[in-house]
Amino acid sequence: MEQTVNNPADNTSAYNFAYLDEQTKRMIRRTLLKAVAIPGYQVPFAGREMPMPYGWGTGGVQVTAAVIGPKDTLKVIDQGADDTTNAVSIRQFFAKTANVATTEKTAEASIIQTRHRIPEKELREDQVLVYQVPIPEPLRFLEPRETETRKMHALEEYGLMHVKLYEDIARHGHIATTYAYPVMVDDRYVMDPSPTPKFDNPKMHNMAALQLFGAGREKRIYALPPYTKVKSLDFEDHPFEVQSWDDECGMCGARDSYLDEVILDDKGNRMFVCSDTDYCSERQDAGHRGQQHHDQPLGGPKSSPSSEKAAE
Amino acid sequence: MYVAVKGGERAINNAHRLLAEQRRGNKDIAEIETDQIEQQLSLSVTRVMAEGSLYDRDLAALAIKQARGDLIEAIFLMRAYRTTLPRFAFSKPIKTAEMDVSRRISATFKDLPGGQILGPTFDYTHRLLDFTLMANDEDPAEAPSGENPVDEHMPRVLDDILNYEGLIQDEPTPVDENAPVADLTREPIKFPAGRDLRLQNLSRGDEGFVLALGYSTQRGYANSHAFVGEIRYGTVSVEIEPEELGFAIDIGDIELTECETVNKFKGSKTKLPQFTRGYGLVFGQNERKSISMALVDRAMRANEMGEQIMGPAQDSEFVMEHSDNVQSTGFVEHIKLPHYVDFQGELELVRRMRAEVEARLSKRDADEAKSQSKAAE
Amino acid sequence: MTLQPQTSNLLPGFEHAAFDSNAVFRVLLDAMSRPGRIYDLPINITAPDGLNTSATAALLAMADMDTTVWLSPTCATNLATTHLKFHCGSPITPDVSQADFAVARSDEDLSFIAQLPVGTAEYPDQSATLILMVDDITDGPNMRLRGPGIKDTHSLDIKGLPVAFHTWRTENHHLFPCGVDVIFASSTKIAALSRTTRIEVK
């Protein structure tokens, strides 16, 4: 079933390599060069309609389409997992339109497109991480007007953001932001890290890989070059801290990874598993075991091809 | 035992199969043909062309069929197709003054040169369900032709009649026909946006959204009291001028509805008062959209007219950022995608904060109990 | 619509438009993301008189009808202009302040660079990119670079880079976030300076 092709007389070869036409790719590529030259600044670009809905990763898909070449190996994750439906759908899209190799292994990928997570495994210089971004403007919920927020970035006027965070502390005793936690890039631009949990924020700092951010509906692209200073906003008396769990991963026993809560019944029983499925299965392959592990092929993409594991 | 739920390609493929099955419906009923949609659901077709920004009746009919009649989904299909098309040329400005008119009315004058031409309209139909259509034995008699041919150069109410007296603000068509016109599909929108960009945005904007905003201007959320100076619906020819030819060639006709509103006047003790204007233009016959568009266009000119902004329709950033139904439907619906990683963060925080409050409360209770027992001693 | 004015002395462009432009872009992206690191030109291409191969490849990959190109007097040969008009469709401007891409040789008069657009505080991306053709690019210790994209420091030596360039570059760096980004193009190698890069000249 050809979901990306509207005309049954056509086939995918009627589209250019990686779907976008060359002119659109050039426009996005020029935007990307500006984005890496001005780290954390949101560069406007004439985002195109894509064959998947706005809000479902069209920004990330456009960035990936402009960057990807025939020799790349692509990994796509959503919530840290390779097998979530939208990740599967985007991976299929590129497998079909660019005929590139795909992988579920973080280490094997040259381009990783992600929604809401940064892989647990440290990324390398030869890798590119592409984020899908819904609302690129970190100040948007404080000031809805683009004309105003653009001025605030130009003047480096970030007082409003600090006031908001401090109000949290006054009310709750904490900064009550757990994801999309704003960061300061190279001491200049306040940037939205996309709705990744703040657990992932420290990974952005001085990362060896290039990080690219695409917001399709809002038509903005921004970037973090490798080895760029990224600091989560905080206060001296309330320093930034990441989430921690009292539990460990039920499958691989990891205590250092971001955990998802799985509800086991309606009596309050629950367990935790790694959100990064590749990290979890790699640990299981290495013999690590959590309390809920039953030596069954579960939790992670151990066997391939992935389609055989699909449970409906 | 815990078994992780896998999204999986098979689930997606099967979901697509089920969708196709539901689209087809009961196979005992004849399959609808796209040319039936093109002919008999023509207003759906033109709405999909207008908001899909692509004038192709056959593709619009196909999109409607594929989308099971969901017009926003059909508009999305059109947009996603349109975006892959190479751009060969830009047309010359179309000349609606030379429109081959099927309908033309003015609300500001009882009669006027060129006449009031009622044309095809629901306006004066009684909205009674016509059960003969359900019986499928419709055979409408052919509509009679008028006795006199329609004026080929029908004067425009605003430009040719009102402007003759200087009663309305002068809006000459660009002196330079080749001056660049903004295009939001090729360049990112920057604010404040020019009127060309605003009009393009409204013309492809969601009909319901533009309608509601237009309505709001009539209910006090803006004050730009409007009369319909003229609505005309008909066909105009589209011309391009290929570089290598050096002269314009006609590449076909398109159906359009144009609405020009006459709005409240402005002036001062020293400046002659003049009416102001709003403009609407959409593919196909769509008076609801073109009138709404003209109302919102006029409202968005608040800054230019030195008017106080009191309603959302006057706020061009608000209007333009929310008018596109492909954008809004995508973002509204995306919250059904998994968000459990983010939710986990919130869960953890709320549990922690609850524990802290509970600890604080129980400590307070304990302290109170202690001080009470002390007082009792 | 493909125009085919078969000029007899017209040189070919990319062999494979999608793959070659991707390969060149990836080098430019890497170079701009890691200022001062030196990359090999990844494809074979013929340059018209007035341009060198890396500059030609960069323009073919990045410029099109939506970008205005300015060519310095030594670059603006008939062949170069025809080549860019045909393969990129770019308007060529005589006005350097209109340039999206400006191309020059490092050994000619560089006084034009002060007039390149640097963007505005609200839109610092509305700036030009300077493609500077040079004889050789090495990692010699002449310049020590720091800033985003650079782990500790990168060393870079551009043969024959005039003092005027460094004077301008220091001023340009202080305009941040506005500024001009520079791509050094030798016949076989490419390196870049982002506007963020801090340069210490030995």
Side-chain angles (χ1 to χ4, degrees):
Chain A
M1 173 128 202
E2 300 286 306
Q3 279 297 303
T4 58
V5 179
N6 299 331
N7 184 344
D10 278 352
N11 55 46
T12 38
S13 68
Y15 290 99
N16 192 25
F17 175 78
Y19 183 77
L20 295 176
D21 59 282
E22 289 301 308
Q23 195 182 346
T24 299
K25 285 188 205 165
R26 271 192 301 273
M27 177 271 295
I28 296 170
R29 288 168 181 168
R30 290 192 294 264
T31 309
L32 285 167
L33 289 192
K34 297 292 186 198
V36 293
I38 319 168
Y41 164 75
Q42 303 160 52
V43 191
F45 81 113
R48 303 289 198 247
E49 272 97 357
M50 296 300 285
M52 57 277 285
Y54 283 120
W56 300 55
T58 57
V61 168
Q62 287 180 79
V63 169
T64 299
V67 171
I68 203 163
K71 290 182 205 141
D72 278 305
T73 303
L74 177 70
K75 171 183 164 87
V76 183
I77 50 174
D78 186 341
Q79 314 291 304
D82 297 271
D83 54 11
T84 36
T85 40
N86 204 40
V88 170
S89 165
I90 291 172
R91 191 164 57 239
Q92 281 181 343
F93 175 74
F94 283 109
K96 190 156 41 179
T97 59
N99 196 27
V100 290
T102 61
T103 183
E104 297 187 354
K105 297 249 167 266
T106 301
E108 288 172 7
S110 59
I111 300 175
I112 301 169
Q113 179 168 329
T114 180
R115 177 170 172 264
H116 294 194
R117 278 309 312 279
I118 298 175
E120 306 292 3
K121 189 187 261 297
E122 201 171 314
L123 299 183
R124 301 183 309 261
E125 286 200 353
D126 60 346
Q127 294 180 305
V128 179
L129 184 59
V130 178
Y131 297 75
Q132 301 171 203
V133 183
I135 303 275
E137 179 49 73
L139 308 169
R140 185 58 71 236
F141 295 106
L142 308 171
E143 168 53 63
R145 262 163 226 286
E146 172 70 8
T147 33
E148 291 302 317
T149 52
R150 199 152 270 275
K151 228 174 275 165
M152 290 156 80
H153 285 294
L155 300 171
E156 232 176 316
E157 179 49 67
Y158 295 127
L160 210 54
M161 180 62 93
H162 285 98
V163 169
K164 190 254 162 199
L165 295 176
Y166 212 83
E167 277 173 1
D168 275 4
I169 294 171
R171 189 173 307 140
H172 306 293
H174 300 276
I175 292 176
T177 301
T178 56
Y179 60 92
Y181 189 105
V183 294
M184 172 67 84
V185 176
D186 198 35
D187 299 320
R188 176 57 182 82
Y189 280 104
V190 168
M191 186 191 95
D192 181 299
S194 89
T196 47
K198 64 179 181 176
F199 179 88
D200 286 337
N201 276 22
K203 297 177 189 165
M204 305 177 99
H205 174 65
N206 278 341
M207 187 189 279
L210 172 62
Q211 302 173 73
L212 305 174
F213 299 77
R217 191 179 38 78
E218 299 280 340
K219 298 182 173 48
R220 297 287 183 272
I221 283 173
Y222 52 101
L224 294 172
Y227 309 114
T228 296
K229 182 176 172 191
V230 178
K231 187 177 185 314
S232 303
L233 299 184
D234 63 357
F235 300 94
E236 256 174 39
D237 50 345
H238 281 90
F240 173 79
E241 52 183 41
V242 299
Q243 291 101 332
S244 58
W245 283 260
D246 297 332
D247 302 81
E248 56 171 41
C249 171
M251 305 308 297
C252 76
R255 301 197 72 96
D256 59 350
S257 76
Y258 193 86
L259 299 179
D260 289 331
E261 181 170 331
V262 179
I263 307 294
L264 297 172
D265 56 27
D266 56 1
K267 308 281 187 311
N269 282 311
R270 54 182 190 245
M271 65 175 282
F272 290 87
V273 289
C274 292
S275 112
D276 184 332
T277 48
D278 176 53
Y279 183 73
C280 194
S281 63
E282 206 168 84
R283 279 179 53 85
Q284 291 174 47
D285 288 347
H288 296 283
R289 290 290 180 270
Q291 311 238 329
Q292 316 279 331
H293 197 288
H294 294 266
D295 280 322
Q296 296 296 319
L298 29 90
K302 272 172 85 171
S303 58
S304 56
S306 64
S307 58
E308 284 178 12
K309 308 188 309 271
E312 283 143 65
Chain B
M1 190 186 119
Y2 166 66
V3 177
V5 179
K6 297 289 210 166
E9 297 174 18
R10 226 169 86 203
I12 293 178
N13 289 339
N14 285 344
H16 291 165
R17 255 179 244 150
L18 188 56
L19 181 70
E21 190 180 310
Q22 299 233 325
R23 174 176 51 72
R24 178 60 182 88
N26 184 345
K27 285 189 182 167
D28 295 338
I29 311 288
E31 183 181 347
I32 194 168
E33 289 172 22
T34 52
D35 53 1
Q36 292 173 326
I37 295 172
E38 192 267 313
Q39 284 295 310
Q40 296 174 41
L41 297 178
S42 54
L43 297 184
S44 293
V45 166
T46 50
R47 181 176 171 194
V48 169
M49 295 196 304
E51 294 171 37
S53 272
L54 180 62
Y55 198 95
D56 189 317
R57 304 186 65 95
D58 295 333
L59 286 181
L62 168 60
I64 292 166
K65 177 175 175 176
Q66 187 180 332
R68 302 167 67 192
D70 178 339
L71 295 189
I72 292 185
E73 183 66 26
I75 289 160
F76 182 16
L77 288 168
M78 286 289 268
R79 292 269 193 93
Y81 183 74
R82 175 193 194 275
T83 194
T84 65
L85 300 175
R87 189 152 300 206
F88 293 126
F90 296 88
S91 78
K92 311 282 288 177
I94 52 164
K95 298 191 176 82
T96 52
E98 292 167 18
M99 181 183 278
D100 183 3
V101 164
S102 302
R103 170 166 158 80
R104 182 262 200 146
I105 51 167
S106 168
T108 48
F109 297 99
K110 183 164 192 233
D111 201 359
L112 68 165
Q116 306 265 18
I117 298 170
L118 201 51
T121 174
F122 287 119
D123 287 356
Y124 306 102
T125 61
H126 294 146
R127 271 59 168 199
L128 303 170
L129 283 172
D130 179 356
F131 290 98
T132 58
L133 295 179
M134 196 178 235
N136 283 334
D137 59 355
E138 185 196 19
D139 185 16
E142 204 167 294
S145 307
E147 284 163 21
N148 301 315
V150 172
D151 204 336
E152 267 184 37
H153 292 283
M154 197 165 293
R156 292 155 70 100
V157 172
L158 273 67
D159 287 325
D160 301 330
I161 299 172
L162 277 170
N163 199 25
Y164 182 72
E165 283 184 71
L167 285 173
I168 194 151
Q169 60 181 143
D170 194 18
E171 271 173 10
T173 44
V175 185
D176 176 9
E177 283 204 339
N178 297 316
V181 179
D183 181 354
L184 58 81
T185 69
R186 312 300 283 187
E187 295 152 42
I189 297 182
K190 278 188 209 146
F191 296 103
R195 194 169 173 219
D196 48 355
L197 212 55
R198 302 199 303 253
L199 287 169
Q200 182 191 18
N201 178 280
L202 289 176
S203 194
R204 10 188 286 152
D206 181 73
E207 181 174 319
F209 179 80
V210 179
L211 170 67
L213 281 176
Y215 179 46
S216 75
T217 69
Q218 296 179 300
R219 291 193 64 265
Y221 289 90
N223 180 13
S224 51
H225 187 79
F227 302 99
V228 168
E230 179 174 352
I231 287 181
R232 53 173 69 194
Y233 151 64
T235 56
V236 298
S237 61
V238 179
E239 294 180 336
I240 59 165
E241 191 177 301
E243 286 283 337
E244 59 269 34
L245 284 186
F247 56 88
I249 52 169
D250 189 336
I251 56 164
D253 291 343
I254 58 172
E255 247 183 17
L256 290 171
T257 306
E258 181 186 55
C259 172
E260 293 202 90
T261 54
V262 181
N263 296 71
K264 74 167 189 177
F265 58 84
K266 61 171 205 165
S268 63
K269 277 181 186 160
T270 52
K271 213 176 158 204
L272 290 174
Q274 265 190 327
F275 294 106
T276 58
R277 49 208 272 176
Y279 187 76
L281 184 73
V282 283
F283 286 161
Q285 184 177 13
N286 194 340
E287 293 165 30
R288 181 186 305 127
K289 174 80 179 280
S290 62
I291 296 171
S292 306
M293 177 174 164
L295 292 176
V296 181
D297 167 50
R298 175 58 187 83
M300 286 203 282
R301 304 180 75 180
N303 274 336
E304 168 195 340
M305 306 283 180
E307 292 163 351
Q308 194 196 342
I309 297 204
M310 48 211 272
Q314 294 170 300
D315 180 341
S316 55
E317 190 171 335
F318 176 82
V319 173
M320 295 175 73
E321 291 280 32
H322 300 106
S323 64
D324 190 298
N325 54 25
V326 178
Q327 287 176 7
S328 40
T329 199
F331 200 55
V332 164
E333 293 194 48
H334 105 282
I335 60 172
K336 67 191 169 192
L337 286 178
H339 281 78
Y340 50 78
V341 161
D342 301 343
F343 186 66
Q344 187 62 47
E346 301 274 277
L347 259 182
E348 191 263 347
L349 179 67
V350 169
R351 282 194 187 122
R352 186 146 59 104
M353 293 199 312
R354 285 174 62 95
E356 284 169 6
V357 172
E358 270 168 7
R360 217 173 292 140
L361 290 180
S362 63
K363 182 175 181 298
R364 194 185 65 189
D365 288 350
D367 288 352
E368 270 173 20
K370 208 188 277 173
S371 67
Q372 268 170 10
S373 67
K374 221 175 231 174
E377 274 168 17
Chain C
M1 189 162 62
T2 44
L3 296 169
Q4 301 287 346
Q6 282 306 331
T7 320
S8 55
N9 49 2
L10 193 66
L11 297 168
F14 286 141
E15 200 171 315
H16 188 295
F19 295 164
D20 289 358
S21 55
N22 179 264
V24 174
F25 162 69
R26 284 292 279 274
V27 161
L28 293 173
L29 180 66
D30 277 338
M32 196 59 81
S33 307
R34 297 170 173 85
R37 194 174 279 183
I38 302 161
Y39 294 85
D40 290 327
L41 177 64
I43 55 156
N44 289 317
I45 193 165
T46 327
D49 187 29
L51 299 176
N52 71 16
T53 43
S54 294
T56 307
L59 287 168
L60 259 56
M62 304 307 294
D64 58 26
M65 61 202 257
D66 293 330
T67 53
T68 302
V69 176
W70 179 88
L71 299 174
S72 75
T74 55
C75 299
T77 63
N78 268 340
L79 283 174
T81 313
T82 315
H83 194 72
L84 296 179
K85 277 189 176 163
F86 180 79
H87 289 295
C88 305
S90 300
I92 313 278
T93 181
D95 179 359
V96 70
S97 70
Q98 297 295 315
D100 295 305
F101 292 100
V103 190
R105 291 190 53 86
S106 61
D107 57 6
E108 65 186 308
D109 176 14
L110 293 183
S111 56
F112 71 88
I113 49 181
Q115 279 132 53
L116 287 167
V118 296
T120 63
E122 289 179 16
Y123 293 98
D125 55 298
Q126 306 283 302
S127 57
T129 301
L130 171 63
I131 299 175
L132 205 55
M133 294 190 289
V134 298
D135 289 338
D136 200 12
I137 306 172
T138 65
D139 61 356
N142 182 273
M143 288 185 266
R144 181 178 287 172
L145 314 182
R146 294 172 205 273
I150 302 167
K151 193 175 182 186
D152 298 308
T153 58
H154 284 168
S155 297
L156 184 66
D157 194 348
I158 307 290
K159 196 176 168 194
L161 200 57
V163 177
F165 176 86
H166 290 295
T167 315
W168 164 79
R169 182 56 184 62
T170 308
E171 286 164 15
N172 186 69
H173 177 67
H174 287 136
L175 299 175
F176 189 83
C178 293
V180 171
D181 308 309
V182 184
I183 295 168
F184 294 115
S186 81
S187 54
T188 55
K189 299 205 182 305
I190 289 175
L193 283 182
S194 149
R195 65 190 76 182
T196 55
T197 311
R198 296 184 295 278
I199 308 176
E200 198 185 318
V201 185
K202 297 263 160 141

